[in-house]
Amino acid sequence: MAEAVVITQPGRVELSEVALPDLEPGQLRLRTRVSLISTGTEGIVYTGRFAPGTHWDQWFSYPHRPGYSLVGEVSGVGRDVTGDFRPGDRVVALLGHASHHVADAGLCTLVPDDVSDEDAAWFALAKVGFVGMEAAHARVGSSALVIGAGPVGQMAVRWLAASGAAEVTVAHRSGGLRLDLARAGGASAALQDDLDDGLPGIPAPAAVIDCTGNPDVLTRALAAVADHGRVVMLGDVGDPSQQRLSPDLIVRGLTVVGAHGRHLLGEREHDVRRLFFRLVASGRFAGMSGLVTHKFTPHECAEAYALLDAGRSDTMGVIFDWQ
C-alpha cells in the first residue's frame, strides 16, 4: 500500500491509502522524497473552478489524485529495465502526490548529484516554461514580456534569460516577493502592473507570454505586443469561453499561439529535463534559491490546498516533504 493525496470533491482533500501495483518488467519502484504542487492547475481542480464541457471537464473527475512534479528514490528495479537505474538513485517523473509509486522506467529521468531535491522538483513546471519560451520564438537579443510572476512565469523568465533574450520584462498585478524572484531569475524589468493602461515606458516587445490563467489578460497581451508580434497563451484558463480577442489581432497582424506542457513528450522531454538540471547546477538557471516558500507534510494536505485557495498570491513553490 501507499499513501496518496486525493481530492475527493471540490474543496475537500485527504490522505488515503491506495494499492501499489506489483513491479513488472521495465518498471521501477520509487519511494517519494518530495513533490511540488502545481498551484495553478491543482488550485483549479481543488476548487472545481472550470466550466462544464471544457478540456478541464474531460481531464479531471472526482475523486482525483493530483500532482505531476515528483522526485523519488529508486527502491526496486524490474527485469528488462533499460537505462542506468540503480537502487538509491534519485529520479523525477510526472507522478502524483503519493508516498510510493511503480512506474515505467522510460518515464523517469535521473537527477544529478549536484541538483537538490527542491530544485529538481521544478522540472515539470520548467518544461511548461520551456514550451512557452519556444513558442515565443525567443532568441539571442530578442525581447519578451511575461505576464504573471507565479511558478510558470518564474520558469519562463529563467528560460528567456538563459536563451540570451536581451530584454525580459515581467508584469504582475501585485508586487513584493514574486517580482523580487523574477528579478533574481533574470528579468531586466519587473512591474507591479495589471496592464490596464498598456505597457508603461517600455518599448513593445516582440513576444508576450501570458502565464496567468486569467481570461481578461488576453486583450491586454494583444495591446502590449509589438506589431506583427507573437502572443503565447501559456496559462490555462478554467473557462476559455471568457477570453476575448481585440482589433489588435487583425489590424496589427499579430500571431496568437497556444502552448502546453503536453506539447513536449518522448525523448525530447528527457532532454529538456537534463538541460534544466545542467543549467541549475551551473547557475545559469538563476535565482532558484527562495522559489520554495512553503513546505507541508502529506498529512497537512488539507492545510496546503486551503492555503492555495485563500492566499495563493502569498506562495510560490509549495512542496510536500515525504521523508
Side-chain angles (χ1 to χ4, degrees), residues 26-241:
Q27 294 185 323
L28 302 174
R29 184 181 293 113
L30 306 177
R31 179 181 64 82
T32 303
R33 296 173 65 88
V34 299
S35 57
L36 177 71
I37 295 179
S38 175
T39 57
T41 297
E42 295 179 47
I44 288 176
V45 177
Y46 171 70
T47 58
R49 292 174 185 150
F50 52 85
T54 63
H55 59 289
W56 292 90
D57 202 17
Q58 298 167 16
W59 289 347
F60 301 105
S61 60
Y62 303 97
H64 172 70
R65 289 178 55 180
Y68 57 88
S69 302
L70 180 136
V71 181
E73 182 177 311
V74 176
S75 60
V77 180
R79 293 186 294 106
D80 303 326
V81 167
T82 58
D84 189 22
F85 295 105
R86 300 287 184 272
D89 286 343
R90 292 182 304 143
V91 300
V92 295
L94 299 172
L95 297 170
H97 303 300
S99 61
H100 297 80
H101 284 276
V102 172
D104 291 345
L107 301 178
C108 302
T109 307
L110 287 166
V111 179
D113 292 340
D114 51 2
V115 176
S116 69
D117 287 348
E118 287 189 7
D119 286 351
W122 287 88
F123 78 100
L125 296 183
K127 179 185 76 167
V128 177
F130 178 89
V131 172
M133 181 268 295
E134 273 204 329
H137 289 182
R139 62 187 186 277
V140 173
S142 63
S143 60
L145 165 66
V146 176
I147 305 179
V152 169
Q154 298 290 338
M155 295 296 102
V157 165
R158 284 156 177 78
W159 281 117
L160 289 164
S163 76
E167 300 293 335
V168 181
T169 301
V170 177
H172 193 79
R173 62 185 177 185
S174 60
L177 174 66
R178 292 193 168 194
L179 292 183
D180 290 343
L181 289 171
R183 293 186 190 95
S188 50
L191 310 173
Q192 182 179 346
D193 203 312
D194 59 12
L195 303 182
D196 271 345
D197 299 317
L199 195 57
I202 294 176
V208 173
I209 305 177
D210 173 14
C211 302
T212 65
N214 180 349
D216 297 332
V217 170
L218 177 55
T219 54
R220 302 171 197 172
L222 292 169
V225 75
D227 290 354
H228 309 291
R230 296 175 69 83
V231 172
V232 178
M233 305 305 298
L234 190 59
D236 206 351
V237 177
D239 187 356
S241 69

Side-chain angles (χ1 to χ4, degrees), residues 279-309:
L279 293 177
V280 168
S282 68
R284 290 178 58 199
F285 213 79
M288 294 297 293
S289 175
L291 282 179
V292 173
T293 57
H294 294 77
K295 295 181 184 179
F296 293 91
T297 70
H299 291 276
E300 298 171 318
C301 57
E303 181 181 346
Y305 284 92
L307 171 66
L308 298 187
D309 186 30

